[in-house]
Amino acid sequence: MKQKLSDEVQFIKGVGPRWAERLSKLGIKTVRDLLYYFPREYEDRSQISQIKYTAVGEQANFKVEVLKTEYQKIRYNLDLLRVTFSDGTDVVNGIWYNQSYLSEQFEKGDQYIISGKISEKNWRKYKRKEINNPVYEKLDSDASVLNTGRIVPIYSLTEGITQRRLRRVIANALKSHAALIEEQLPGSILKKYNFPDLKTSILGMHYPKNEKHQKFSRRRLAFEEFFYLQLYALEEKKKYNELQGIQHQFKAEENKKFLSELDFELTDAQKRVNLEIRRDMESKKTMSRLLQGDVGSGKTVVAALALLQTIANGFQGIFMAPTEILAEQHFLNFKELLSDFNYNIILLTGSVKTAARKKIEADIETGKTDLIIGTHALFQEGLSYNNPGLIVIDEQHRFGVEQRHSLKEKGDSPDLLIMTATPIPRSMAMLIYGDLDLSVIDEMPPGRKEIATFWRRENRRQQIYSFLKEKIAAGRQAYIVCPLIEESEEMPGLVSAEELFNDLKSGFFKEQKLALIHSSIAAAEKKEIMESFREGKIDILVATTVIEVGVDVSNASIMIIENAERFGLAQLHQLRGRVGRGRHQSYCILISDPPGEDAAYRLEIMCKSNNGFLIAEEDLKMRGPGEFFGTRQHGIDDLKVASLTEDQELLVKAREEAQLIVKADNWQQHYKKLAENISEIELKI
């Protein structure tokens, strides 16, 4: 039967059904999966040393011959195998405990390469050069040396799989299937960047001849990963842009009226981004744009201007938020921002009762509603819109890639504006949002004071509370954020919201007005609590991260974060952004006794910087892309080789090359292999 890379892995020499089951736990089911299961690191065991000149305590590799083997029973349950090796300059003993079966491996005169550290303890005790449990590999003509005497791959493993066996299995797969590896990249790209071919690159990742071979191989494969994802994203963008979109007319009168009623002037960044959005909406192509801006930079006003344009053109506007609290807040904001216009604005969330929902849905369908604000409920089946012109999505990463693509089916190619206050490093934005145009509000409104951020240890709690009491007496309000809702036996060191709320309201803050809010509280009650907090009826809101994004209370000027070491940098920055939204000086106090250097470093960065983009870059470096959003993201999770922190230059090159290819009409006809790869990516979304 003809061999294929899609063959089941169990038919590779040395695998079989039992080992195939173990490999499947590593996501390896086919030969292709095995060949693309790359090492996590390498050990250089290629330099051969001489025993005579190797110091005690030094890690070394020796090319040796077996002189003799000795087996010794030391006591019950303990035996020792000593094999004496020589390289002609001196002798070294290999020592194995309770592995007597290995004695059959070593016969006098056999040639081996052995690796290990010469034991200092054995030298002091016996004055002999000895290696405990050395890595060994027999030198014969039947098999290549895989475990020593070369740059050796180190793989991530699972139970029942050893490095030694996995290396042999991968070597067998390369031997039997390497000839089937077909080049995927165009020859022009290989030549331009001096990339090795695909077969050489895969061999160079598993069994590099030297460090240069491995680096060249990794660079080529990293480029390829970025290139396919960019090709996919740009093709999606091209398809979307080719749709006959809505050509909005600029409504100068409404625009002027809206701006004149604001009690502030737009920043230069807001004006620039507003113009970018306006041009998209006025063009024949369908807008597909990501609006990025730090907390408090004024994205909502820009979104309101865009929604005003679509409504003034006779279309419906749709605004989706990730939580009911946020949807409710945006509903109030938009009602206020558009209060001088006679538009019908409604709120639709999952907690709206059936009778009210039916009325809302009927008004949407018949076109009586101009602007619809809500949560995921806006995209349920059975809800029909009446000529939607613009869809705005807030904090898109909480919805997932699939929903972004499904939006294209709503209405007749409505424009799409996605907003996020999570500062996303450029490399990540390019990868995840490669199908979108990017706008950035990189300027804060004038006069806004920086939030003073402090890190304090647990033993300063009383001083923190005294400071908080002073600020409340001066008329301010505060948030106290906890990592848990309730006490947990599994995490006894963490402060829970319920426990802290009960302690504070009957203790230090018994004279103040406190409330508790978290995700387990019913939506109607959450809404009531937030309304009371907005109106100043609550002094301190004890909460979980339910208040992380978008809750906007200008009089709240103190944010205290318990167990701050438990949160990532981006999340701490989001939480801090809940204060500093009014005219008063605001404070963020991080309470933490961090367990290690990384956690302490995170807290120090928070105290030094209010720049969300700088913080996001640091967060990406520290936690890696997979954890940046806390949710699975198509693209990030598909990277086996490429690194968003180390390979940003490659990502830019990959996007440039992908743009050149996608520009051409019917590029799929010229690059059939690339088109096939792209269709496979599409299936995974």
Side-chain angles (χ1 to χ4, degrees), residues 203-219:
L203 283 165
M205 285 298 288
H206 291 292
Y207 297 110
K209 294 170 188 168
N210 48 45
E211 193 181 343
K212 188 178 176 184
H213 184 197
Q214 190 274 329
K215 282 186 174 171
F216 267 56
S217 301
R218 197 200 79 81
R219 190 167 177 270

Side-chain angles (χ1 to χ4, degrees), residues 263-471:
D263 53 8
F264 56 87
E265 193 181 335
L266 297 186
T267 63
D268 288 343
Q270 284 174 308
K271 288 174 185 172
R272 184 189 71 242
V273 167
N274 177 46
L275 192 59
E276 288 168 357
I277 292 167
R278 212 182 97 190
R279 282 176 181 154
D280 275 3
M281 291 180 73
E282 289 171 25
S283 77
K284 287 179 183 175
K285 72 169 190 171
T286 306
M287 177 169 76
S288 190
R289 186 169 285 277
L290 173 68
L291 170 56
Q292 218 183 327
D294 211 341
V295 174
S297 61
K299 295 181 300 301
T300 306
V301 172
V302 172
L305 268 166
L307 288 163
L308 175 62
Q309 287 304 306
T310 204
I311 297 165
N313 272 269
F315 298 100
Q316 280 182 333
I318 301 168
F319 186 100
M320 182 161 79
T323 66
E324 294 205 0
I325 287 179
L326 280 177
E328 165 78 18
Q329 183 170 292
H330 280 301
F331 174 67
L332 297 173
N333 282 347
F334 283 123
K335 280 195 82 121
E336 192 178 329
L337 285 166
L338 300 172
S339 59
D340 293 307
F341 299 89
N342 189 26
Y343 294 135
N344 185 15
I345 304 171
I346 61 101
L347 176 69
L348 179 60
T349 64
S351 61
V352 174
K353 299 288 182 288
T354 309
R357 178 181 293 274
K358 281 185 178 170
K359 167 79 169 70
I360 289 169
E361 287 177 0
D363 285 352
I364 291 170
E365 198 168 339
T366 55
K368 287 180 186 172
T369 304
D370 300 298
L371 176 57
I372 305 107
I373 294 156
T375 54
H376 294 79
L378 297 180
F379 295 102
Q380 66 196 21
E381 280 185 39
L383 180 57
S384 300
Y385 292 95
N386 190 298
N387 208 8
L390 172 65
I391 298 168
V392 181
I393 300 184
D394 194 24
E395 292 303 329
Q396 188 272 342
H397 65 267
R398 291 158 181 261
F399 295 106
V401 178
E402 293 87 344
Q403 279 147 312
R404 182 160 93 231
H405 286 267
S406 72
L407 295 179
K408 296 171 187 176
E409 295 160 19
K410 295 287 174 190
D412 188 15
S413 302
D415 286 332
L416 177 63
L417 178 65
I418 287 161
M419 304 200 305
T420 181
T422 304
I424 304 164
R426 183 168 176 262
S427 59
M428 189 177 277
M430 207 186 290
L431 188 68
I432 304 171
Y433 302 115
D435 57 328
L436 305 175
D437 292 310
L438 181 63
S439 286
V440 181
I441 301 179
D442 50 7
E443 180 186 0
M444 297 300 274
R448 184 166 286 223
K449 295 176 180 144
E450 274 208 353
I451 300 160
T453 305
F454 305 97
W455 161 29
R456 296 291 180 260
R457 293 186 180 272
E458 181 66 38
N459 60 13
R460 300 286 295 278
R461 189 175 287 278
Q462 289 305 305
Q463 291 99 311
I464 294 165
Y465 286 168
S466 298
F467 171 76
L468 179 51
K469 204 173 253 188
E470 273 176 39
K471 292 297 171 188

Side-chain angles (χ1 to χ4, degrees), residues 465-633:
Y465 286 168
S466 298
F467 171 76
L468 179 51
K469 204 173 253 188
E470 273 176 39
K471 292 297 171 188
I472 290 168
R476 307 288 76 76
Q477 291 167 275
Y479 301 98
I480 301 180
V481 176
C482 305
L484 298 177
I485 293 176
E486 55 192 24
E487 209 174 344
S488 165
E489 286 180 16
E490 292 167 19
M491 292 178 276
L494 299 194
V495 178
S496 76
E498 287 183 351
E499 191 184 5
L500 186 67
F501 171 70
N502 291 325
D503 287 350
L504 295 182
K505 77 170 181 177
S506 59
F508 203 93
F509 294 104
K510 61 185 174 190
E511 291 166 18
Q512 281 71 37
K513 295 176 289 251
L514 276 73
L516 173 68
I517 191 166
H518 53 70
S519 56
S520 299
I521 290 171
E525 194 183 339
K526 271 194 278 201
K527 182 178 170 182
E528 204 176 303
I529 292 166
M530 284 313 302
E531 199 52 50
S532 296
F533 190 58
R534 270 192 207 100
E535 290 170 3
K537 294 174 186 173
I538 294 165
D539 298 315
I540 301 171
L541 189 62
V542 180
T544 56
T545 54
V546 72
I547 59 104
E548 179 187 342
V549 180
V551 175
D552 188 356
V553 179
S554 59
N555 191 48
S557 62
I558 302 107
M559 164 67 68
I560 295 173
I561 303 174
E562 298 280 354
N563 296 113
E565 77 283 352
R566 301 288 299 186
F567 302 96
L569 274 170
Q571 196 173 28
L572 286 171
H573 183 64
Q574 284 287 321
L575 288 166
R576 174 169 62 184
R578 297 307 103 227
V579 296
R581 306 176 83 82
R583 57 192 172 83
H584 306 288
Q585 175 61 56
S586 289
Y587 304 88
C588 176
I589 302 167
L590 310 168
I591 302 180
S592 174
D593 288 331
E597 285 180 21
D598 277 3
Y601 180 60
R602 276 206 305 276
L603 301 176
E604 284 165 6
I605 289 169
M606 285 298 297
C607 296
K608 285 176 189 167
S609 178
N610 269 264
N611 182 323
F613 289 94
L614 183 147
I615 285 167
E617 286 286 358
E618 287 294 333
D619 203 26
L620 180 61
K621 282 180 203 165
M622 291 184 79
R623 293 197 300 154
E627 304 225 356
F628 188 85
F629 285 130
T631 56
R632 177 176 162 77
Q633 288 285 333

